[in-house]
Amino acid sequence: MREQVIINDVGPRDGLQNQGQVLSVTERLQLIKAIRASGLDHIEVGSFVSPKAVPAMAGTGSVFAGLAQVGAGHYSTLIPNMRGYELARDAGVKTVVMVLYGSEGMARKNVNMSREQADEVTEAILLQAQGDGIAVIATIGVAFGCPFDGPVDPGLVADVAGKFLGLGANRFVLADTIAAANPLQVRELTQRLVTEHGASRLGCHFHDTRAMGLANVFAAIESGIRYFDASIAGLGGCPFATGAGGNVATEDVVMMLEQMGFITGINLDALMVASDLAQQLTGTAPGGRSKAWLKPWLARQSAACAD
Amino acid sequence: MREQVIINDVGPRDGLQNQGQVLSVTERLQLIKAIRASGLDHIEVGSFVSPKAVPAMAGTGSVFAGLAQVGAGHYSTLIPNMRGYELARDAGVKTVVMVLYGSEGMARKNVNMSREQADEVTEAILLQAQGDGIAVIATIGVAFGCPFDGPVDPGLVADVAGKFLGLGANRFVLADTIAAANPLQVRELTQRLVTEHGASRLGCHFHDTRAMGLANVFAAIESGIRYFDASIAGLGGCPFATGAGGNVATEDVVMMLEQMGFITGINLDALMVASDLAQQLTGTAPGGRSKAWLKPWLARQSAACAD
């Protein structure tokens, strides 16, 4: 029996936020609509952060309001604090994404808090959200390595995972924010977490900056992980290495999973349309690295079907 | 204890042969010298094929003669038939690479023989080489999938491996000639072969056309494979998809292996010099996909050492 894997497209949030071009609300909705049209139904549509700090995410409330025209789906938004949570809740968001940290350095740099303070903020919001009937995805940034503090202790990550899964977080996602992970490390940490908590509430988020994106996805698949963040057209650069790739591209991940016999429920032809649009709208999205192969291959497949 | 992995750079053969630019013997030696200077000491230096059929490989005898100035190493050349074998032997080659086929279609297309005829030619040369004290690497092309015949039966590949390892081939290499392999497939086939024959005489050769190059290397590593072909700067395109990547880049593979704690004996700084040279000489080599990250990282490492 073919197993299912969930792909959560973070392009409209993580992707757009990490590149220069600021898209209009209409353009952001256009992109989300194209992604959703491929069958991909888990999408991170934006974040409720200060528009001053992150201009690309201004107007996320309007994007959320516009989702009615896109159709049903599992839409989430990122929130950095209680204020963001309240804005998201008032906008009708049903799933919020919170960020925890694998290192002191990144917590300080990103939200000017200690790691423990960030934990406390997330815990308070988690309790509030449970009362409000809103789902919480807890993502731990720099889960494998930090640009400021170096390698991250897997024991610490396992402790944070245990704590938030214990508190009832709907999902706990290991994010390799700066592409520090190698597949051996991924296999070891994911194996440990799957053994301790089962795989159903776990997920992974990889970047392809060092060309190991798909190797890391495969390593996590081997451990039983069945939920992955990915970004349409690889949207989102790497702030720590100019010219280097950012998020692992949705089309690359979907292609590999489908080739390995997993079900993603995503149509690759339609995903190419969304990927082209992401490249067109931003001018910065590199496009999945398999795209040069994928497009002619898909064309041949449909030609064969038409015969 | 850190384990060793052998990297065999096929750029000067597989790489150069699959791109437009024809390098002079002097340039080919320059490239080999730069690769060797990184500590990488397994190199496929060329092939003894008809210069009419493959102009980029004309003068391989002279390249081989020039290796004296490069220094000691495990230098191999590819040969398609007994005539090529004799030329290689007379040129003083100590290791020849022979190509077997996972499909009828590719055998016909490449050497205008049936799969079995190609097996017979290789068997005859293997016996001759054993008499002459020359090592033989038997590489099976399209080991995972063929552009003409589709998916390749793993049982057939296992049979061919068993036959040639039984005959005393020094190494048997699974080549994913057209980047048809996914990592699940790689893990299954390599696990089977390692169980049957041990890992010491096995090897893998992957292409990165579909972005799964490093994922496939990792899958093979998990099975115990410790010998990989790779191509400096990803030299060598894919004849079946214009614009798509070719061989997995040596620098990407070495970086991943070193990051996972394996010993390759290769200096990444020196490898960057060789990679730059490959790009400069050919104008076509894409460069390892991790290079945009790798170069500034290496620069920071040396700066830190100098502090």
Side-chain angles (χ1 to χ4, degrees), chain A residues 180 182-184 187 208-212 214-215 218-219 222 241-244 252 255-256 259-260 262 289-290 292-293, chain B residues 180 182-184 187 208-212 214-215 218-219 222 241-244 252 255-256 259-260 262 289-290 292-293:
Chain A
N182 69 62
L184 207 55
R187 186 172 57 69
D208 201 25
T209 314
R210 301 200 293 171
M212 293 189 282
L214 291 187
F218 175 68
E222 289 278 273
T242 321
D252 289 341
M255 176 212 58
M256 181 173 82
Q259 292 271 328
M260 295 198 297
F262 291 96
R289 292 189 298 98
S290 66
W293 176 89
Chain B
N182 68 63
L184 207 55
R187 186 171 58 69
D208 202 25
T209 314
R210 300 199 294 170
M212 293 190 281
L214 291 189
F218 175 68
E222 289 277 274
T242 320
D252 288 340
M255 176 214 56
M256 182 173 81
Q259 293 271 328
M260 295 198 299
F262 291 96
R289 291 188 299 97
S290 67
W293 176 89

Side-chain angles (χ1 to χ4, degrees), chain A residues 10-29 31-32 44-63 235-236 282 284:
Chain A
V10 298
R13 200 279 304 169
D14 194 12
L16 288 183
Q17 155 178 344
N18 282 305
Q19 51 89 51
Q21 184 84 358
V22 174
L23 301 196
S24 69
V25 167
T26 308
E27 288 171 322
R28 286 161 70 187
L29 276 166
L31 179 59
I32 292 165
E44 200 171 299
V45 301
S47 60
F48 285 91
V49 291
S50 152
K52 268 193 197 155
V54 190
M57 289 295 106
T60 291
S62 307
V63 173
L235 190 55
T282 62
T284 58

